Amino acid sequence: MASDTLISANWVDYLIVFLYFGVVLGIGLVARRQVSDSVDFFLSGRSLPAWVTGLAFISANLGAVEIMGMSASGAEFGLPTVHYFWVGAIPAMLFLGVVMMPFYYGSKVRSVPEFMYRRFGTGAHLVNSISFAVAQLLIAGINLYLLGSIIHALIGWPLWVALVVAAAIVLSYITLGGLSAAIYNEVLQFFVIVAALLPLTLIGLNRVGGYGGLKDKITEAASGGGDIAPADQQLNSWPGQALSGFDSPVLSVIGIVFGLGFVLSFGYWTTNFVEVQRAMASNSISAARKTPIIGAFPKMFVPFITILPGMIAAVLVTEIADVKAGETVAGGASGEGVAYNDSLLYLMRDLLPNGLLGLAIAGLLAAFMAGMAANISAFNTVFSYDLWQRYFVKDRDDDYYLKVGRLATVAATFIAIFTASLASNFSNIMEYLQTLFGFFNAPLFATFILGMFWKRMTATAGWVGLVSGTTAAVLVAFLSEDAFGSWSTGTIPLGGQGAAFVAAAAAFVVDIVLSVVVSLVTKPKPVEELKGLVYSETPREDLVDADEAFYPWYRRTLPLAGVALVMVVILNLAF
């Protein structure tokens, strides 16, 4: 073990981490006994209760985006980062549960691309399947890169060795137990993550003199000038110029509400099979609808254990404060210089005693494994069902596709080791992620929502919209200042999160416009083939669980969604 590790862990911390790894692999071994066919492996046999799938729904997303990405954005931008949760997640999650899950679950499709196949046919299905598979390999690489960074910081191994070891652990339990292993581990990981990050937040707030002291220190640091956003922009969520990159408050609000809150958010939460797969694994249509709604309650409080530590690190950790002031600081988890992504690691180093440090490290490892496992388990389903079975080898027995799924898991893990190197080029991982979401999720949402509510939309319009929307997003990224790193030309004077918002908005608008135009000059599907695929052609009784009317209010979909919506409005007004 290297002597110059970023974090000074001792045998107690290592023991906690190794015990956690043992439990994770044990869950994989137990889940393996439940896997008898491909539905068990890919969809947990559609047998899980809503509270399990609801926690797994959130934990699957509680990976790189939530932990390192949000703490990095908290350190860089401050309080406006909460928009990724209260504007950019909760409304879309509620919409998914109330409106869209009945179509997914009721149609008994095995994936979101398969739903696209039934609605639009081969063209849109193939584009969606390939783009989704590529996106999952890239995002799995992000989780793996950050997971490897933690191991590098903890033990001092070279990053490539840490990547291989981290990948082997995730590969073991996913290959053994499939989606059930991933979901039960995600439930465990949710509690481990909270137990790890809550003490860090409380100790950090105590060290800076409470929330009032944190505001004073941020104000003091911002008064030094430079490129740091003014204190009032860092300490108020609205209008959010620090996050959006727009100078105009009006344009900033429009960018956040339309770019993030509508296009990126709805595109991600309502059509991303990584999340939808968890709800599909539930045991009834009522449980499937409640899955994202149950997940919305813990989701709205995650900022307090991810963004707040980042804000604390920006004033309490010397290295992060220097980076924010525009200095270049040697070190960091990558060894190539301190970046905002290192905020949480340095805060752990400075605040946590041994024992709690081990718990925090286990929590970070849990987060990255949950995120990567979610990407890999969604990839192997889409590859096996939507690509291999539909276009390459048809009509084989179920055991064959189960083997293909396991081999796809192994292949995806190895590919993620290479895509992890792409993530190392971004000092703030959120910018990379939002760029990817603009490419893949924004046009998919446009096609999906138009096809679900407009029966005139045609199969040709489906694939034309997807391709043109993705092309528009890529073009905006190239023309921006930094959305593609050194490849961007800077023609459009906009960078960071704002560039990602504009790219997503461009993808959405171009997709909608071309889909409408093409639909008007091509032939739609017969109306009788649209039942269960288009809202106006689907009987209401097919979209609800008749038994839910007899449940108490806190077990019914609409009252739960209403409570969650009121709570998130209050949080937006309070901060």
Side-chain angles (χ1 to χ4, degrees):
M1 295 183 185
S3 59
D4 58 346
T5 54
L6 183 64
I7 299 173
S8 299
N10 66 14
W11 68 269
V12 175
D13 303 309
Y14 292 122
L15 178 62
I16 292 172
V17 171
F18 289 134
L19 284 174
Y20 171 71
F21 282 155
V23 172
V24 165
L25 294 175
I27 290 175
L29 288 170
V30 171
R32 190 180 191 282
R33 301 173 187 170
Q34 302 175 7
V35 177
S36 59
D37 58 26
S38 64
V39 174
D40 289 337
F41 186 77
F42 294 121
L43 291 173
S44 298
R46 301 185 192 269
S47 61
L48 302 178
W51 74 269
V52 170
T53 54
L55 289 179
F57 187 93
I58 288 307
S59 188
N61 184 251
L62 204 57
V65 180
E66 306 291 308
I67 307 302
M68 300 292 266
M70 289 303 174
S71 62
S73 292
E76 186 175 1
F77 306 121
L79 203 57
T81 310
V82 300
H83 291 314
Y84 284 113
F85 297 84
W86 301 341
V87 175
I90 305 299
M93 291 167 64
L94 300 180
F95 183 82
L96 170 64
V98 172
V99 177
M100 297 186 72
M101 275 316 303
F103 287 93
Y104 288 135
Y105 195 89
S107 62
K108 295 299 179 186
V109 294
R110 298 167 295 184
S111 69
V112 170
E114 186 175 345
F115 188 92
M116 292 290 284
Y117 178 80
R118 294 191 185 181
R119 177 63 180 91
F120 296 113
T122 301
H125 173 261
L126 189 58
V127 171
N128 181 208
S129 299
I130 293 174
S131 66
F132 177 83
V134 171
Q136 295 323 299
L137 294 175
L138 291 171
I139 298 171
I142 293 173
N143 282 288
L144 183 58
Y145 165 71
L146 293 173
L147 178 54
S149 297
I150 300 298
I151 295 177
H152 170 76
L154 171 64
I155 303 177
W157 289 348
L159 187 58
W160 72 269
V161 175
L163 289 175
V164 171
V165 171
I169 294 168
V170 176
L171 176 62
S172 298
Y173 74 80
I174 294 296
T175 307
L176 286 170
L179 185 62
S180 290
I183 285 180
Y184 282 116
N185 264 313
E186 284 160 5
V187 173
L188 168 68
Q189 285 156 348
F190 174 81
F191 293 107
V192 172
I193 291 164
V194 172
L197 295 182
L198 186 58
L200 188 65
T201 305
L202 296 176
I203 294 171
L205 282 174
N206 181 65
R207 188 70 63 88
V208 297
Y211 188 62
L214 175 62
K215 293 169 70 174
D216 292 340
K217 290 184 181 298
I218 290 175
T219 302
E220 181 183 347
S223 65
D227 294 330
I228 300 177
D232 65 316
Q233 291 186 16
Q234 295 187 56
L235 295 172
N236 294 284
S237 62
W238 295 102
Q241 294 112 306
L243 179 71
S244 67
F246 292 105
D247 293 328
S248 164
V250 175
L251 289 178
S252 180
V253 171
I254 292 172
I256 290 170
V257 172
F258 181 68
L260 173 64
F262 181 62
V263 178
L264 278 172
S265 170
F266 278 68
Y268 177 82
W269 291 101
T270 65
T271 63
N272 186 0
F273 183 52
V274 173
E275 307 299 333
V276 173
Q277 187 180 31
R278 272 76 196 142
M280 285 183 172
S282 54
N283 56 17
S284 68
I285 194 170
S286 177
R289 296 182 75 195
K290 290 198 291 282
T291 291
I293 296 170
I294 289 172
F297 289 94
K299 178 74 173 179
M300 67 181 72
F301 295 104
V302 169
F304 297 110
I305 59 172
T306 54
I307 296 169
L308 268 183
M311 295 170 67
I312 294 166
V315 298
L316 208 57
V317 177
T318 304
E319 291 90 343
I320 302 301
D322 290 343
V323 168
K324 193 167 183 176
E327 299 178 23
T328 300
V329 183
S334 66
E336 299 177 359
V338 177
Y340 287 114
N341 291 326
D342 299 319
S343 299
L344 216 55
L345 295 177
Y346 278 106
L347 194 64
M348 287 163 51
R349 177 201 67 182
D350 290 352
L351 295 186
L352 296 182
N354 293 111
L356 271 182
L357 184 60
L359 181 61
I361 293 168
L364 286 180
L365 296 176
F368 302 141
M369 287 195 293
M372 182 181 173
N375 298 130
I376 296 296
S377 60
F379 170 86
N380 65 29
T381 304
V382 169
F383 178 84
S384 303
Y385 283 150
D386 292 286
L387 292 173
W388 193 260
Q389 183 179 25
R390 189 169 296 280
Y391 297 107
F392 292 97
V393 180
K394 301 180 179 180
D395 303 323
R396 294 289 294 272
D397 58 48
D398 191 73
D399 286 343
Y400 173 80
Y401 296 109
L402 180 58
K403 291 175 183 175
V404 169
R406 287 198 161 109
L407 289 173
T409 302
V410 175
T413 305
F414 278 102
I415 294 171
I417 294 174
F418 295 99
T419 61
S421 63
L422 296 176
S424 65
N425 296 321
F426 290 78
S427 64
N428 185 334
I429 216 73
M430 278 304 301
E431 295 179 8
Y432 180 41
L433 282 162
Q434 295 306 315
T435 300
L436 292 179
F437 293 156
F439 294 168
F440 300 117
N441 293 104
L444 177 59
F445 173 62
T447 297
F448 212 103
I449 206 71
L450 191 62
M452 182 175 284
F453 290 99
W454 188 37
K455 63 183 179 182
R456 180 68 178 77
M457 188 174 178
T458 66
T460 305
W463 71 263
V464 169
L466 285 176
V467 172
S468 59
T470 300
T471 303
V474 171
L475 181 61
V476 171
F478 269 120
L479 294 177
S480 71
E481 292 178 347
D482 57 7
F484 261 144
S486 60
W487 294 346
S488 292
T489 64
T491 306
I492 300 175
L494 188 65
Q497 314 291 318
F501 297 165
V502 171
F508 182 85
V509 172
V510 169
D511 188 313
I512 290 288
V513 170
L514 285 183
S515 294
V516 170
V517 171
V518 172
S519 291
L520 294 176
V521 296
T522 52
K523 186 178 179 181
K525 263 189 171 185
V527 172
E528 57 270 17
E529 295 180 17
L530 298 178
K531 180 181 177 182
L533 302 173
V534 176
Y535 197 82
S536 62
E537 303 304 315
T538 305
R540 188 180 182 280
E541 57 266 23
D542 291 355
L543 302 176
V544 296
D545 185 344
D547 294 334
E548 192 174 281
F550 302 100
Y551 294 166
W553 72 267
Y554 55 84
R555 290 185 58 199
R556 298 203 301 270
T557 302
L558 292 180
L560 271 180
V563 172
L565 186 61
V566 169
M567 289 175 65
V568 83
V569 168
I570 292 172
L571 286 170
N572 268 289
L573 293 174
F575 290 90

